[in-house]
Amino acid sequence: MTGRHDNGAADISDLAGIGSKTAPLFRDLGIGSARALLEYLPFRYDDLRFATPATRLGEGGGEENAVGTVIGVKERRVRDLEIVEARLVDDDGSPFTAKWIGRRRFVYGRFHEGMRLFVRGRAERSFAGPTVNVAQYAQLAPGQQYRGEMIPVYRASKDLATRKIAAVVRKNLSRLLDLAPDDPLPRSIARQRKYPTLREAYRSVHAPEEPEEAQRARERFVFAEFLTLASAAQLRRADRERDRRARALRVPPSLLDEFAAALPFALTGAQRRAIREIWDDMTRDVPMNRLLQGDVGSGKTLIAAAAVLLAARNGMQSALMAPTEILASQHAGKLAPLLLPFGIGLEAVFGSQGTKARNAAVAKLASGQAAVAVGTHALLTEGIDFDRLGLAIIDEQHRFGVEQRARLRAKGTSPHTLHMTATPIPRTLAQSIYADLDLSIVDELPPGRTPIETFAVRASRLERAYAFVARNVELGHQAYIVAPAIEEGETALTSAVAEFDRLRTEVFPRLRLGLLHGRLSGREKDDVMGRFGRGEIDVLVSTTVVEVGVDVPNASVMVVLDAQRYGLAQLHQLRGRVGRGAAQSFCVLVYPDDGEETERLEVLTKSNDGFLIAEEDLRLRGPGEFAGTAQSGAAELRVADLVRDIEIYRDAKAAAETIVARDPKLADPDHAGLRAVLERQPSTRALLVSS
Ligand code: ADP
Ligand code: MG
């Protein structure tokens, strides 16, 4: 076993066909070892097995292959452009044309009558018969029977073509196959599903004889990846279910009515449902691990307050951790009045806080005198201890690492944990990437909100958008202008600093402008946000630090420059900064004149439903782009795709549940491969090392 690993580490330069020049090119693609090359799977194939008869060329739609003998050539040059048209007849005697057009194709003067050729490319039909626009070709010997293959296509780079990668794989294939890594797929499952062995699967993806064979092998890899992902989640879930040290809280029968009575408005149905789900979890001695997902403005703060209330009624403390000071202080500001009627006191813990304030907070939390701590990661500091921490709430959970979240929980004894996010993620995706969390979705906005009107405009109309901003400011409102980068030169994109200077001096010389970006200190940020919140700034120019949770009800216009840079879900979040007050709010998405962004941005102009937008984002960009996926196992998926392969995921998840239920330590020899793979993952290692 160990010997095998050593071989796998064999350097890429040890392989046949790789020299000192090409080795770095492979490394640039992340292929540093022989095994990494084995694991570098093609993403598609060119099917060169069959030549299409000339009479049927152009029917297929995609690229097609043809074989024939040249009967005439027409060629000309226009500057360095070569235009070569060869007339051919196929083996049945039917004519077709092969056409090369382009620079540096090196085909001028190359073909002559009687030559036998293989050509591949997009075919089209006209009155003159079928024409293949040649992408690849090969010369065949006279009378040579054509026998083509499936050609794997690898993700390549500018300097390293897929052909080169394919050639190296082909040359070294048998050696590479001996380096197959641990196989997470139990033999029993592989047999039951009639999957090939791992070795066979690698051979089949790199050198398939037919598409079905490659497809079947790919499915095996997809299944194995999902099985690993789902087993990891299942192990964490099982581990939590075994932990009976959480405090089982009692819910007084009238508590929800009491809570609702203290609010100036009625709870939405979705809020009631989420509160019920959370409270139900908290009545168990198994620690809650729930994700509360809801669009901006859906009223999650209030749900968090209900969880805090239940904890406090049972004599337990709560801690709420948010990723930035702005967000944390806003949470504190919103939670305090909700909790005040119940006599629940709140302490803030921020990095920028003075020693005196910090010491006072620390003392009250340690003694249990304060029921709630709200803060940033400063809460994780050593020396901040709780008397009885029963509830940990983590806002924008994907902005914290696994380890930071664990550190907050470690301040109590198996506290109930509530994660919150304002990034709507489609339910299917959320359930798979956060498989060890239970899910509560707030899919209903409080009544009476006027939808934000959204426009997508080209950059050449920017000045008109700014005139619109000025008009709204004259009406007494405020505006955000979001630019992507901080300083000029970082990227070609509009920079917040440069745009700020231009706006201040040229565009809005009479308005009060503020600048907010991530390089300001916490104190500077708070100062700017504070002034914007008090209405002392008319237009806030900002990077995306303003993205999450910031709440200034008087702001009614949001302009996003270079909107093409962002995912729809992120734009939707940015847009959520406005529309928080009574006034009609607007969002203007600015994209480059030469951009083809309209279709994508249209989605936002038509919908205000975060979940619908997320579905669309998922369809257009795939799951990798979702905030939070990088923090979860989904980032480790190399072959599988949570959208395309969702059916396989369901299947693999069911298998993982059975495995973990029957063999929670993965001690069965048939689970040894799965165990080995999971032992290498930090989040599951500790769960498997026997205690
Ligand atoms: P989120 O954190 O989900 O973005 P908040 O909790 O900040 O949303 O709530 C947004 C606004 O909606 C707040 O001003 C809050 O007071 C208000 N709100 C929350 N729930 C309701 C409700 N059921 N009816 C009316 N307004 C509500
Ligand atoms: Mg909020």
Side-chain angles (χ1 to χ4, degrees), residues 481-531:
I481 295 175
V482 172
I486 300 175
E487 270 155 34
E488 196 94 70
E490 284 188 350
T491 67
L493 299 162
T494 318
S495 114
V497 172
E499 194 64 1
F500 173 72
D501 284 335
R502 191 177 80 87
L503 290 170
R504 198 176 39 148
T505 53
E506 293 169 29
V507 185
F508 303 126
R510 297 204 319 255
L511 303 185
R512 298 164 301 170
L513 267 61
L515 176 64
L516 185 74
H517 58 70
R519 299 234 184 112
L520 298 180
S521 70
R523 204 180 294 260
E524 289 168 316
K525 275 188 227 163
D526 288 349
D527 175 58
V528 176
M529 271 324 291
R531 285 191 287 137

Short mmCIF file of all heavy atoms in Angstrom, two decimals, residues 481-531:
data_model
loop_
_atom_site.label_atom_id
_atom_site.label_comp_id
_atom_site.label_asym_id
_atom_site.label_seq_id
_atom_site.Cartn_x
_atom_site.Cartn_y
_atom_site.Cartn_z
N ILE A 481 -23.19 53.31 -5.03
CA ILE A 481 -22.57 53.01 -6.32
C ILE A 481 -21.49 51.98 -6.03
O ILE A 481 -20.54 52.25 -5.29
CB ILE A 481 -21.99 54.27 -6.98
CG1 ILE A 481 -23.13 55.24 -7.32
CG2 ILE A 481 -21.20 53.89 -8.24
CD1 ILE A 481 -22.69 56.58 -7.86
N VAL A 482 -21.66 50.79 -6.58
CA VAL A 482 -20.72 49.71 -6.29
C VAL A 482 -19.77 49.50 -7.46
O VAL A 482 -20.20 49.35 -8.60
CB VAL A 482 -21.48 48.41 -5.98
CG1 VAL A 482 -20.51 47.23 -5.85
CG2 VAL A 482 -22.28 48.56 -4.69
N ALA A 483 -18.48 49.54 -7.18
CA ALA A 483 -17.45 49.29 -8.20
C ALA A 483 -16.61 48.12 -7.72
O ALA A 483 -16.38 47.95 -6.53
CB ALA A 483 -16.59 50.54 -8.37
N PRO A 484 -16.11 47.31 -8.65
CA PRO A 484 -15.47 46.06 -8.25
C PRO A 484 -14.09 46.16 -7.59
O PRO A 484 -13.86 45.51 -6.59
CB PRO A 484 -15.39 45.24 -9.53
CG PRO A 484 -15.72 46.15 -10.64
CD PRO A 484 -16.33 47.38 -10.10
N ALA A 485 -13.17 46.90 -8.14
CA ALA A 485 -11.82 46.85 -7.59
C ALA A 485 -11.57 48.07 -6.71
O ALA A 485 -12.35 49.01 -6.71
CB ALA A 485 -10.79 46.79 -8.71
N ILE A 486 -10.48 48.07 -5.98
CA ILE A 486 -10.22 49.20 -5.09
C ILE A 486 -9.41 50.28 -5.78
O ILE A 486 -9.81 51.42 -5.85
CB ILE A 486 -9.50 48.75 -3.81
CG1 ILE A 486 -10.36 47.75 -3.08
CG2 ILE A 486 -9.24 49.96 -2.92
CD1 ILE A 486 -9.70 47.16 -1.87
N GLU A 487 -8.24 49.90 -6.29
CA GLU A 487 -7.39 50.92 -6.89
C GLU A 487 -7.20 50.69 -8.38
O GLU A 487 -7.18 49.57 -8.85
CB GLU A 487 -6.02 50.94 -6.20
CG GLU A 487 -6.01 51.89 -5.02
CD GLU A 487 -4.95 51.49 -4.03
OE1 GLU A 487 -3.90 50.99 -4.45
OE2 GLU A 487 -5.18 51.67 -2.83
N GLU A 488 -7.02 51.78 -9.08
CA GLU A 488 -6.79 51.71 -10.52
C GLU A 488 -5.56 50.85 -10.78
O GLU A 488 -4.62 50.85 -10.01
CB GLU A 488 -6.51 53.13 -11.03
CG GLU A 488 -6.62 53.28 -12.51
CD GLU A 488 -8.01 53.73 -12.91
OE1 GLU A 488 -8.37 54.88 -12.64
OE2 GLU A 488 -8.73 52.91 -13.49
N GLY A 489 -5.61 50.11 -11.87
CA GLY A 489 -4.43 49.34 -12.22
C GLY A 489 -4.50 47.91 -11.70
O GLY A 489 -3.84 47.03 -12.22
N GLU A 490 -5.31 47.68 -10.71
CA GLU A 490 -5.43 46.31 -10.21
C GLU A 490 -6.02 45.44 -11.30
O GLU A 490 -5.62 44.34 -11.55
CB GLU A 490 -6.37 46.26 -9.01
CG GLU A 490 -5.73 46.78 -7.76
CD GLU A 490 -6.62 46.54 -6.57
OE1 GLU A 490 -7.78 46.15 -6.76
OE2 GLU A 490 -6.13 46.74 -5.46
N THR A 491 -7.04 45.99 -11.92
CA THR A 491 -7.66 45.31 -13.05
C THR A 491 -8.10 46.42 -13.97
O THR A 491 -8.03 47.59 -13.63
CB THR A 491 -8.91 44.54 -12.62
OG1 THR A 491 -9.90 45.49 -12.23
CG2 THR A 491 -8.63 43.60 -11.48
N ALA A 492 -8.57 46.03 -15.13
CA ALA A 492 -9.04 47.03 -16.08
C ALA A 492 -10.41 47.56 -15.68
O ALA A 492 -10.95 48.46 -16.29
CB ALA A 492 -9.10 46.44 -17.48
N LEU A 493 -10.99 46.96 -14.67
CA LEU A 493 -12.34 47.33 -14.30
C LEU A 493 -12.37 48.66 -13.57
O LEU A 493 -11.37 49.12 -13.04
CB LEU A 493 -12.93 46.25 -13.40
CG LEU A 493 -13.00 44.88 -14.07
CD1 LEU A 493 -13.16 43.79 -13.04
CD2 LEU A 493 -14.14 44.85 -15.07
N THR A 494 -13.53 49.24 -13.57
CA THR A 494 -13.73 50.50 -12.87
C THR A 494 -13.26 50.34 -11.42
O THR A 494 -13.63 49.40 -10.76
CB THR A 494 -15.23 50.82 -12.85
OG1 THR A 494 -15.75 50.52 -14.12
CG2 THR A 494 -15.46 52.26 -12.49
N SER A 495 -12.47 51.26 -10.96
CA SER A 495 -12.02 51.11 -9.59
C SER A 495 -12.81 52.05 -8.69
O SER A 495 -13.15 53.17 -9.07
CB SER A 495 -10.53 51.39 -9.49
OG SER A 495 -10.31 52.54 -8.73
N ALA A 496 -13.10 51.57 -7.51
CA ALA A 496 -13.91 52.36 -6.58
C ALA A 496 -13.25 53.70 -6.28
O ALA A 496 -13.90 54.73 -6.27
CB ALA A 496 -14.14 51.57 -5.29
N VAL A 497 -11.92 53.67 -6.08
CA VAL A 497 -11.23 54.91 -5.71
C VAL A 497 -11.26 55.91 -6.86
O VAL A 497 -11.59 57.09 -6.68
CB VAL A 497 -9.76 54.61 -5.30
CG1 VAL A 497 -8.99 55.92 -5.11
CG2 VAL A 497 -9.74 53.79 -4.01
N ALA A 498 -10.94 55.44 -8.08
CA ALA A 498 -10.93 56.33 -9.23
C ALA A 498 -12.33 56.88 -9.51
O ALA A 498 -12.51 58.06 -9.78
CB ALA A 498 -10.40 55.60 -10.46
N GLU A 499 -13.30 56.02 -9.45
CA GLU A 499 -14.66 56.45 -9.72
C GLU A 499 -15.12 57.44 -8.66
O GLU A 499 -15.80 58.42 -8.95
CB GLU A 499 -15.59 55.23 -9.79
CG GLU A 499 -16.96 55.50 -10.39
CD GLU A 499 -16.93 55.93 -11.86
OE1 GLU A 499 -15.84 56.01 -12.45
OE2 GLU A 499 -18.00 56.21 -12.41
N PHE A 500 -14.70 57.20 -7.43
CA PHE A 500 -15.04 58.11 -6.33
C PHE A 500 -14.51 59.51 -6.63
O PHE A 500 -15.22 60.51 -6.52
CB PHE A 500 -14.47 57.57 -5.02
CG PHE A 500 -14.61 58.51 -3.86
CD1 PHE A 500 -15.86 58.74 -3.28
CD2 PHE A 500 -13.50 59.15 -3.33
CE1 PHE A 500 -15.99 59.61 -2.21
CE2 PHE A 500 -13.63 60.02 -2.26
CZ PHE A 500 -14.87 60.25 -1.70
N ASP A 501 -13.24 59.58 -7.05
CA ASP A 501 -12.64 60.88 -7.33
C ASP A 501 -13.36 61.59 -8.47
O ASP A 501 -13.61 62.79 -8.42
CB ASP A 501 -11.15 60.71 -7.69
CG ASP A 501 -10.33 60.44 -6.43
OD1 ASP A 501 -10.78 60.86 -5.34
OD2 ASP A 501 -9.26 59.81 -6.53
N ARG A 502 -13.66 60.83 -9.51
CA ARG A 502 -14.34 61.42 -10.66
C ARG A 502 -15.74 61.91 -10.27
O ARG A 502 -16.15 63.00 -10.62
CB ARG A 502 -14.46 60.37 -11.77
CG ARG A 502 -14.90 60.93 -13.11
CD ARG A 502 -14.91 59.83 -14.17
NE ARG A 502 -16.11 59.01 -14.08
CZ ARG A 502 -17.26 59.31 -14.68
NH1 ARG A 502 -17.35 60.40 -15.41
NH2 ARG A 502 -18.31 58.53 -14.56
N LEU A 503 -16.44 61.11 -9.51
CA LEU A 503 -17.80 61.48 -9.11
C LEU A 503 -17.80 62.72 -8.25
O LEU A 503 -18.62 63.62 -8.41
CB LEU A 503 -18.46 60.32 -8.35
CG LEU A 503 -18.80 59.08 -9.19
CD1 LEU A 503 -19.21 57.92 -8.30
CD2 LEU A 503 -19.91 59.41 -10.18
N ARG A 504 -16.83 62.76 -7.34
CA ARG A 504 -16.78 63.85 -6.38
C ARG A 504 -16.47 65.18 -7.07
O ARG A 504 -17.05 66.20 -6.77
CB ARG A 504 -15.69 63.56 -5.36
CG ARG A 504 -15.79 64.34 -4.08
CD ARG A 504 -14.71 63.87 -3.15
NE ARG A 504 -13.49 63.62 -3.94
CZ ARG A 504 -12.27 63.79 -3.49
NH1 ARG A 504 -12.08 64.21 -2.27
NH2 ARG A 504 -11.23 63.54 -4.24
N THR A 505 -15.53 65.13 -8.03
CA THR A 505 -15.11 66.38 -8.65
C THR A 505 -15.94 66.74 -9.87
O THR A 505 -16.22 67.91 -10.10
CB THR A 505 -13.62 66.30 -9.06
OG1 THR A 505 -13.46 65.12 -9.86
CG2 THR A 505 -12.73 66.21 -7.84
N GLU A 506 -16.33 65.72 -10.67
CA GLU A 506 -16.97 66.06 -11.94
C GLU A 506 -18.47 65.81 -11.98
O GLU A 506 -19.22 66.63 -12.49
CB GLU A 506 -16.33 65.24 -13.08
CG GLU A 506 -14.90 65.62 -13.35
CD GLU A 506 -14.23 64.62 -14.27
OE1 GLU A 506 -14.93 64.00 -15.09
OE2 GLU A 506 -13.00 64.44 -14.14
N VAL A 507 -18.90 64.68 -11.47
CA VAL A 507 -20.30 64.29 -11.68
C VAL A 507 -21.23 64.85 -10.61
O VAL A 507 -22.28 65.41 -10.91
CB VAL A 507 -20.42 62.76 -11.76
CG1 VAL A 507 -21.85 62.36 -12.10
CG2 VAL A 507 -19.46 62.20 -12.80
N PHE A 508 -20.85 64.68 -9.35
CA PHE A 508 -21.72 65.14 -8.25
C PHE A 508 -21.01 66.14 -7.36
O PHE A 508 -20.90 65.93 -6.15
CB PHE A 508 -22.14 63.96 -7.37
CG PHE A 508 -22.84 62.84 -8.10
CD1 PHE A 508 -22.37 61.53 -7.99
CD2 PHE A 508 -23.99 63.07 -8.85
CE1 PHE A 508 -23.02 60.48 -8.63
CE2 PHE A 508 -24.64 62.02 -9.50
CZ PHE A 508 -24.16 60.73 -9.39
N PRO A 509 -20.48 67.26 -7.93
CA PRO A 509 -19.67 68.16 -7.10
C PRO A 509 -20.46 68.74 -5.93
O PRO A 509 -19.86 69.14 -4.92
CB PRO A 509 -19.23 69.26 -8.09
CG PRO A 509 -20.16 69.16 -9.24
CD PRO A 509 -20.63 67.76 -9.31
N ARG A 510 -21.76 68.77 -6.04
CA ARG A 510 -22.53 69.41 -4.96
C ARG A 510 -23.09 68.41 -3.95
O ARG A 510 -23.70 68.79 -2.97
CB ARG A 510 -23.68 70.23 -5.57
CG ARG A 510 -23.16 71.38 -6.46
CD ARG A 510 -24.20 72.47 -6.54
NE ARG A 510 -25.52 71.87 -6.66
CZ ARG A 510 -26.22 71.85 -7.80
NH1 ARG A 510 -25.75 72.43 -8.86
NH2 ARG A 510 -27.40 71.28 -7.87
N LEU A 511 -22.90 67.11 -4.21
CA LEU A 511 -23.45 66.12 -3.27
C LEU A 511 -22.39 65.69 -2.27
O LEU A 511 -21.19 65.88 -2.47
CB LEU A 511 -23.97 64.90 -4.04
CG LEU A 511 -25.04 65.18 -5.10
CD1 LEU A 511 -25.55 63.87 -5.68
CD2 LEU A 511 -26.19 65.99 -4.52
N ARG A 512 -22.85 65.08 -1.18
CA ARG A 512 -21.92 64.59 -0.17
C ARG A 512 -21.62 63.12 -0.47
O ARG A 512 -22.51 62.28 -0.45
CB ARG A 512 -22.53 64.75 1.23
CG ARG A 512 -22.82 66.21 1.59
CD ARG A 512 -23.76 66.31 2.76
NE ARG A 512 -25.02 65.65 2.48
CZ ARG A 512 -25.96 65.42 3.39
NH1 ARG A 512 -25.78 65.77 4.65
NH2 ARG A 512 -27.08 64.82 3.05
N LEU A 513 -20.34 62.83 -0.75
CA LEU A 513 -19.96 61.48 -1.14
C LEU A 513 -19.14 60.78 -0.06
O LEU A 513 -18.39 61.44 0.67
CB LEU A 513 -19.17 61.51 -2.45
CG LEU A 513 -19.99 61.33 -3.73
CD1 LEU A 513 -21.02 62.44 -3.86
CD2 LEU A 513 -19.09 61.27 -4.95
N GLY A 514 -19.25 59.47 0.01
CA GLY A 514 -18.43 58.68 0.93
C GLY A 514 -17.82 57.52 0.18
O GLY A 514 -18.34 57.11 -0.86
N LEU A 515 -16.71 57.01 0.69
CA LEU A 515 -16.02 55.89 0.05
C LEU A 515 -15.83 54.77 1.07
O LEU A 515 -15.34 55.00 2.18
CB LEU A 515 -14.67 56.36 -0.48
CG LEU A 515 -13.76 55.30 -1.10
CD1 LEU A 515 -14.39 54.70 -2.36
CD2 LEU A 515 -12.40 55.91 -1.45
N LEU A 516 -16.20 53.57 0.66
CA LEU A 516 -16.09 52.43 1.57
C LEU A 516 -15.44 51.27 0.85
O LEU A 516 -15.86 50.90 -0.24
CB LEU A 516 -17.50 52.01 2.02
CG LEU A 516 -17.60 50.91 3.06
CD1 LEU A 516 -17.21 51.43 4.43
CD2 LEU A 516 -19.03 50.35 3.12
N HIS A 517 -14.37 50.72 1.41
CA HIS A 517 -13.80 49.52 0.82
C HIS A 517 -13.07 48.71 1.88
O HIS A 517 -12.85 49.17 3.01
CB HIS A 517 -12.89 49.85 -0.36
CG HIS A 517 -11.76 50.78 -0.01
ND1 HIS A 517 -10.71 50.40 0.79
CD2 HIS A 517 -11.55 52.07 -0.34
CE1 HIS A 517 -9.88 51.43 0.92
NE2 HIS A 517 -10.37 52.45 0.26
N GLY A 518 -12.71 47.50 1.50
CA GLY A 518 -12.17 46.54 2.46
C GLY A 518 -10.82 46.91 3.05
O GLY A 518 -10.40 46.35 4.05
N ARG A 519 -10.11 47.89 2.44
CA ARG A 519 -8.79 48.23 2.98
C ARG A 519 -8.88 49.26 4.10
O ARG A 519 -7.85 49.59 4.70
CB ARG A 519 -7.90 48.77 1.87
CG ARG A 519 -7.69 47.78 0.78
CD ARG A 519 -6.22 47.55 0.50
NE ARG A 519 -6.11 46.64 -0.62
CZ ARG A 519 -5.64 46.98 -1.80
NH1 ARG A 519 -5.19 48.20 -2.00
NH2 ARG A 519 -5.58 46.11 -2.76
N LEU A 520 -10.06 49.80 4.31
CA LEU A 520 -10.21 50.73 5.44
C LEU A 520 -10.17 49.92 6.74
O LEU A 520 -10.54 48.75 6.75
CB LEU A 520 -11.54 51.48 5.35
CG LEU A 520 -11.76 52.37 4.14
CD1 LEU A 520 -13.14 53.03 4.21
CD2 LEU A 520 -10.69 53.45 4.05
N SER A 521 -9.78 50.56 7.81
CA SER A 521 -9.79 49.87 9.09
C SER A 521 -11.25 49.73 9.54
O SER A 521 -12.14 50.40 9.02
CB SER A 521 -9.02 50.68 10.13
OG SER A 521 -9.75 51.85 10.43
N GLY A 522 -11.46 48.86 10.49
CA GLY A 522 -12.82 48.65 11.01
C GLY A 522 -13.43 49.96 11.47
O GLY A 522 -14.60 50.25 11.23
N ARG A 523 -12.59 50.78 12.10
CA ARG A 523 -13.09 52.05 12.64
C ARG A 523 -13.49 53.01 11.52
O ARG A 523 -14.55 53.63 11.56
CB ARG A 523 -12.00 52.69 13.50
CG ARG A 523 -12.51 53.64 14.55
CD ARG A 523 -11.36 54.22 15.33
NE ARG A 523 -10.67 53.20 16.11
CZ ARG A 523 -10.89 53.00 17.42
NH1 ARG A 523 -11.72 53.76 18.07
NH2 ARG A 523 -10.25 52.06 18.07
N GLU A 524 -12.64 53.07 10.49
CA GLU A 524 -12.95 53.94 9.36
C GLU A 524 -14.24 53.50 8.66
O GLU A 524 -15.08 54.31 8.29
CB GLU A 524 -11.80 53.94 8.34
CG GLU A 524 -10.56 54.66 8.84
CD GLU A 524 -9.33 54.40 7.96
OE1 GLU A 524 -9.10 53.22 7.57
OE2 GLU A 524 -8.61 55.35 7.65
N LYS A 525 -14.38 52.18 8.50
CA LYS A 525 -15.59 51.66 7.87
C LYS A 525 -16.82 52.03 8.69
O LYS A 525 -17.83 52.49 8.14
CB LYS A 525 -15.52 50.13 7.79
CG LYS A 525 -14.79 49.61 6.58
CD LYS A 525 -14.95 48.11 6.50
CE LYS A 525 -13.62 47.45 6.25
NZ LYS A 525 -13.56 46.05 6.54
N ASP A 526 -16.71 51.80 9.99
CA ASP A 526 -17.86 52.10 10.84
C ASP A 526 -18.22 53.58 10.76
O ASP A 526 -19.39 53.95 10.77
CB ASP A 526 -17.54 51.74 12.30
CG ASP A 526 -17.52 50.24 12.49
OD1 ASP A 526 -17.95 49.53 11.55
OD2 ASP A 526 -17.07 49.78 13.54
N ASP A 527 -17.17 54.42 10.67
CA ASP A 527 -17.40 55.85 10.59
C ASP A 527 -18.18 56.20 9.32
O ASP A 527 -19.19 56.90 9.36
CB ASP A 527 -16.05 56.58 10.63
CG ASP A 527 -16.23 58.08 10.42
OD1 ASP A 527 -16.96 58.68 11.24
OD2 ASP A 527 -15.67 58.62 9.44
N VAL A 528 -17.73 55.66 8.19
CA VAL A 528 -18.41 55.95 6.92
C VAL A 528 -19.84 55.41 6.95
O VAL A 528 -20.80 56.10 6.60
CB VAL A 528 -17.63 55.34 5.73
CG1 VAL A 528 -18.39 55.55 4.43
CG2 VAL A 528 -16.24 55.94 5.63
N MET A 529 -19.98 54.15 7.40
CA MET A 529 -21.31 53.56 7.44
C MET A 529 -22.23 54.32 8.39
O MET A 529 -23.41 54.52 8.12
CB MET A 529 -21.24 52.09 7.88
CG MET A 529 -21.05 51.08 6.77
SD MET A 529 -21.90 51.45 5.21
CE MET A 529 -23.62 51.24 5.66
N GLY A 530 -21.64 54.76 9.48
CA GLY A 530 -22.42 55.52 10.45
C GLY A 530 -22.96 56.80 9.83
O GLY A 530 -24.13 57.13 9.96
N ARG A 531 -22.08 57.51 9.11
CA ARG A 531 -22.52 58.76 8.49
C ARG A 531 -23.55 58.51 7.40
O ARG A 531 -24.51 59.25 7.25
CB ARG A 531 -21.30 59.53 7.93
CG ARG A 531 -20.49 60.19 9.06
CD ARG A 531 -19.47 61.15 8.52
NE ARG A 531 -18.37 60.42 7.88
CZ ARG A 531 -17.82 60.76 6.72
NH1 ARG A 531 -18.26 61.81 6.06
NH2 ARG A 531 -16.84 60.06 6.22
#
